[in-house]
Amino acid sequence: MESKLQLHGFNNLTKSLSFNIYDICYAQTEEQREAYIDYIDEMYNAERLTQILTDVVKIIGANVLNIARQDYEPHGASVTMLIAEHELTDGEANNEESPGPLPDTIVAHLDKSHVTVHTYPESHPHDGVSTFRADIDVSTCGLISPLKVLNYLIHSFDSDVVTVDYRVRGFTRDVDGTKHYIDHDINSIQNYLTEDTRNAYQTIDVNVYQENLFHTKMMLKNFDLDNYVFGVNATDLDPAEAQSIEDRLRREMLEIFYSRNVE
């Protein structure tokens, strides 16, 4: 919005950010697959996820009311935080389309409701491909958009493929009684990513502006096989085998990116 809305009462808009982050790996043997999933379970256990969400809460300037967290058997973890809002002073609101902070530059800003993360490690039964998925939801009520946490979360995980959904729900009234169904300008989720992040990923937008629905898919451009094989070095592989593994990994990434199986 070009000027600050003068509201009648509390800002009742709910802004929800939901996204999936995928990390893809090749683990050839059963032992290597089990070792990869054990590594993921340790790397992203409930304690680590709690710290990540605590940083998210700091970015949006909220206060933690309650934390529920659980490590699952045999694999996976979940963390949910209920968070409370504080009232912004003049000039605190920051809804402009611009990137939020990176992990090493946390700043405080605002708002409320809840943040959750759930992890899902899994592997292909025959192909050696293993995929780790983290589902993250950040929901706030009031003046600030949870999109400010995007950069931090993408850089907190090994993100090969990312799908992001953002929606503004409900309405709020101004002092004249007019309903407002969104309180900030936005034409793309990508405007909340840093330039280096945008350059690192192939991106597609699918937006429904009249419904305040925004969707962005991201797939990492650069492919270094050494970053994807677990338990071996890519340079030790036979060239034909290395090419076969790369083809399988790229296919996995494309299928997730386009949400369809490739025949």
Side-chain angles (χ1 to χ4, degrees):
M1 299 295 173
E2 293 183 359
S3 59
K4 183 177 178 181
L5 291 174
Q6 298 298 313
L7 299 181
H8 173 69
F10 177 69
N11 187 329
N12 291 309
L13 293 171
T14 298
K15 299 157 189 175
S16 298
L17 174 69
S18 301
F19 63 105
N20 313 116
I21 290 174
Y22 297 88
D23 174 58
I24 293 133
C25 174
Y26 179 81
Q28 185 175 23
T29 67
E30 183 64 30
E31 182 180 6
Q32 288 170 345
R33 285 193 290 273
E34 290 179 359
Y36 169 74
I37 292 178
D38 287 343
Y39 163 78
I40 287 294
D41 276 341
E42 178 64 26
M43 186 70 177
Y44 298 109
N45 59 24
E47 182 177 359
R48 170 82 192 286
L49 295 175
T50 299
Q51 183 56 57
I52 290 173
L53 291 194
T54 300
D55 289 341
V56 166
V57 171
K58 289 179 181 178
I59 292 172
I60 61 176
N63 297 308
V64 176
L65 295 179
N66 178 266
I67 301 174
R69 68 185 190 185
Q70 182 67 50
D71 287 304
Y72 297 110
E73 293 294 340
H75 308 293
S78 296
V79 178
T80 299
M81 290 184 178
L82 296 180
I83 57 180
E85 170 192 5
H86 75 270
E87 189 64 32
L88 289 181
T89 59
D90 289 344
E92 266 192 289
N94 188 354
N95 288 316
E96 66 178 9
E97 288 184 293
S98 61
L102 296 174
D104 59 348
T105 56
I106 298 298
V107 297
H109 268 305
L110 156 81
D111 218 321
K112 103 165 185 187
S113 195
H114 68 270
V115 292
T116 65
V117 59
H118 308 283
T119 65
Y120 304 89
E122 66 88 46
S123 62
H124 192 287
H126 315 297
D127 220 12
V129 175
S130 296
T131 302
F132 165 69
R133 183 178 105 236
D135 292 352
I136 303 169
D137 292 278
V138 183
S139 182
T140 67
C141 296
L143 298 175
I144 199 170
S145 168
L147 286 164
K148 289 295 182 180
V149 304
L150 262 180
N151 282 296
Y152 173 79
L153 288 170
I154 289 172
H155 286 264
S156 294
F157 295 86
D158 291 325
S159 307
D160 294 315
V161 180
V162 184
T163 62
V164 190
D165 293 287
Y166 177 64
R167 182 173 186 182
V168 181
R169 294 181 172 90
F171 66 86
T172 192
R173 292 185 188 273
D174 62 24
V175 291
D176 296 322
T178 302
K179 299 185 188 72
H180 295 269
Y181 297 91
I182 193 167
D183 63 352
H184 64 287
D185 294 323
I186 176 173
N187 59 43
S188 174
I189 290 170
Q190 294 185 50
N191 294 336
Y192 290 84
L193 301 173
T194 56
E195 184 178 359
D196 64 323
T197 301
R198 292 196 305 271
N199 291 338
Y201 287 87
Q202 175 184 342
T203 56
I204 295 176
D205 277 358
V206 181
N207 300 322
V208 186
Y209 298 106
Q210 64 270 30
E211 298 295 335
N212 295 322
L213 283 167
F214 305 88
H215 177 74
T216 297
K217 294 182 178 182
M218 306 167 57
M219 182 170 63
L220 202 61
K221 293 178 182 177
N222 291 335
F223 189 96
D224 182 348
L225 189 58
D226 256 331
N227 295 330
Y228 292 90
V229 290
F230 190 84
V232 297
N233 294 321
T235 53
D236 296 332
L237 297 171
D238 176 82
E241 181 184 10
Q243 187 60 57
S244 175
I245 292 170
E246 180 174 338
D247 290 344
R248 276 177 272 175
L249 290 168
R250 287 184 179 276
R251 173 175 173 169
E252 180 81 356
M253 292 173 68
L254 285 169
E255 287 184 342
I256 295 171
F257 183 67
Y258 288 110
S259 302
R260 64 175 62 93
N261 294 320
V262 178
E263 299 299 334

